[in-house]
């Protein structure tokens, strides 16, 4: 990929080019009030897979969906009275809400890590707002840096980490807040999942109650984040999963990878191939949707062919191992 670095004087042409890049499945770094985000079309699983690829993110953690306003957020997530009160008080701003997805939520399963919840926020930055308005949909955007590096607060930070890995950087100058958004889950009891740019006390004043912290179990790694900063149960099929399959047993469905066929495939309850060409990006994009589809096939089990462990294969295998627990 070739990275285009714009000037700090952002004009309508820059925004239109960035929105077109997102619509074409590209990766665009852009400023928010917190840090620079690495954006992709939330509805395009192949583009979302590109984020993990570019960042070297070790596992498929849920990503935050950024939208232009509350009305756009309501098309993606279901708001109860407390969530609505927080959104009206603090959006646009450095608050991310984790909420149940709507029935027709357009955010891809890969972006939500296969969960029934979505992390969403409305950023308070003129460039981010203009880009989201021009794009017209949700943009998932973790911090625009190599995974594990310090979060970027200038376009130069982004370029130092991701030059050549992404399609475009929109330079809006230094950010104002400099730390990531605060994340709150609005479930039966509101939970503070990650401290950030909005103080806990301000949130508690609006809610009229204290925020709880989620339970964590450091003794096991059979948990995955429900959102950045929280450990919670990951998505796993109800149907038993058998890894490293070299055949398909009677009654099983097959999650295939690559061009090879397995003995017994002709009697499989259902067959879905993550990528017939062995493309790990395509496989990542298909992973959660295919697991859900095979889970509903009425099979006695899901046989999973081996997937290479390099690149995105590491994260794919991590999720498959958790699904098999």
């Amino acid at each position: 990929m070739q990275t285009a670095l714009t000037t700090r004087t952002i004009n309508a042409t820059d925004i239109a080019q960035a929105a077109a890049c997102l619509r074409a499945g590209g990766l665009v770094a852009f400023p928010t009030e917190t840090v620079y985000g690495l954006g992709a079309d939330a509805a395009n699983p192949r583009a979302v897979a590109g984020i993990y690829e570019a960042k070297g993110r070790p596992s498929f953690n849920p990503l935050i969906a950024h939208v232009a306003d509350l009305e756009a957020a309501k098309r993606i997530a279901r708001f109860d009275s407390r969530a609505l009160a927080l959104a009206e008080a603090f959006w646009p701003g450095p608050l991310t809400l984790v909420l149940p997805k709507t029935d027709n939520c357009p955010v891809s399963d890969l972006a939500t890590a296969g969960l029934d919840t979505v992390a969403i926020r409305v950023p308070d930055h003129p460039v981010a707002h203009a880009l989201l308005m021009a794009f017209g949909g949700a943009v998932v955007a973790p911090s625009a840096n190599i995974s594990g590096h310090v979060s970027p607060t200038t376009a130069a930070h982004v370029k130092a980490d991701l030059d050549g890995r992404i399609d475009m950087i929109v330079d809006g100058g230094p950010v104002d807040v400099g730390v990531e958004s605060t994340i709150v889950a609005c479930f039966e009891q509101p939970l503070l999942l990650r401290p950030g740019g909005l103080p806990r006390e301000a949130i508690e004043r609006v809610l009229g109650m204290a925020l709880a912290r989620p339970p964590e179990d450091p003794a096991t790694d059979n948990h995955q984040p429900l959102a950045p900063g929280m450990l919670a149960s990951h998505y796993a099929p109800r149907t038993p999963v058998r890894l490293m399959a070299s055949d398909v047993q009677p009654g099983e469905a097959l999650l295939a990878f690559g061009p090879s066929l397995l003995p017994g495939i002709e009697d499989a309850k259902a067959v879905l191939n993550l990528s017939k060409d062995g493309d790990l990006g395509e496989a990542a994009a298909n992973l959660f949707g295919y697991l859900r589809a095979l889970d509903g096939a009425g099979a006695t089990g899901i046989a999973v062919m081996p997937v290479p462990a390099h690149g995105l294969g590491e994260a794919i295998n991590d999720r498959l191992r958790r699904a098999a627990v």
Side-chain angles (χ1 to χ4, degrees):
M1 299 180 184
Q2 295 298 314
T3 300
L5 184 64
T6 72
T7 64
R8 288 188 187 174
T9 305
I10 306 300
N11 57 40
T13 300
D14 294 321
I15 295 299
Q17 288 176 346
C21 185
L22 289 170
R23 282 191 287 271
L27 303 182
V28 176
F30 63 94
T32 75
E33 77 279 22
T34 57
V35 299
Y36 272 72
L38 178 57
D41 179 356
N44 182 338
R46 188 62 185 87
V48 175
I51 287 180
Y52 294 106
E53 223 163 6
K55 284 178 63 70
R57 204 172 175 108
S59 60
F60 295 138
N61 297 332
L63 302 176
I64 296 172
H66 296 67
V67 294
D69 52 35
L70 178 56
E71 290 309 307
K74 289 178 179 178
R75 293 191 285 270
I76 290 171
R78 297 199 300 272
F79 286 74
D80 63 13
S81 59
R82 289 178 298 197
L84 189 60
L86 291 176
E88 290 176 340
F90 299 117
W91 280 356
L95 174 66
T96 293
L97 297 176
V98 177
L99 303 169
K101 294 193 291 189
T102 58
D103 291 340
N104 298 313
C105 178
V107 178
S108 72
D109 281 341
L110 184 60
T112 62
L115 297 167
D116 293 326
T117 55
V118 61
I120 190 167
R121 89 175 183 100
V122 178
D124 187 16
H125 192 287
V127 172
H129 182 260
L131 177 57
L132 291 166
M133 288 293 291
F135 177 65
V139 173
V140 288
S143 56
N145 58 298
I146 296 293
S147 188
H149 286 195
V150 176
S151 293
T153 56
T154 68
H157 296 160
V158 180
K159 185 175 175 64
D161 262 19
L162 299 178
D163 191 26
R165 292 171 174 254
I166 64 177
D167 298 290
M168 187 174 181
I169 302 171
V170 179
D171 184 353
V175 303
D176 293 329
V177 177
V179 295
E180 286 84 356
S181 62
T182 302
I183 302 179
V184 173
C186 290
F187 302 141
E188 289 184 10
Q189 182 177 18
L191 301 176
L192 177 65
L193 308 187
R194 181 180 74 184
L198 181 66
R200 168 203 283 266
E201 294 79 8
I203 298 167
E204 291 177 338
R205 280 196 296 271
V206 170
L207 291 175
M209 62 187 300
L211 288 168
R213 290 301 301 264
E216 295 184 5
D217 182 3
T220 175
D221 70 348
N222 290 332
H223 295 273
Q224 280 292 294
L226 177 59
M230 179 183 186
L231 296 179
S233 297
H234 60 285
Y235 170 73
R238 296 180 300 273
T239 309
V241 174
R242 182 168 64 91
L243 302 179
M244 304 297 290
S246 57
D247 63 357
V248 184
Q249 297 177 3
E252 284 187 323
L254 175 65
L255 185 63
F257 178 81
S260 300
L261 300 179
L262 295 185
I265 192 172
E266 63 277 359
D267 296 320
K269 198 79 172 175
V271 178
L272 289 174
N273 197 320
L274 291 170
S275 175
K276 293 180 181 179
D277 297 328
D279 183 323
L280 290 171
E282 181 184 13
N286 289 329
L287 178 61
F288 290 108
Y290 283 11
L291 278 174
R292 286 183 182 271
L294 293 179
D295 196 20
T300 57
I302 301 173
V304 181
M305 288 177 62
V307 176
H310 60 82
L312 284 177
E314 180 182 3
I316 293 169
N317 281 296
D318 173 76
R319 281 294 168 167
L320 288 171
R321 282 192 297 271
R322 295 175 189 280
V325 171

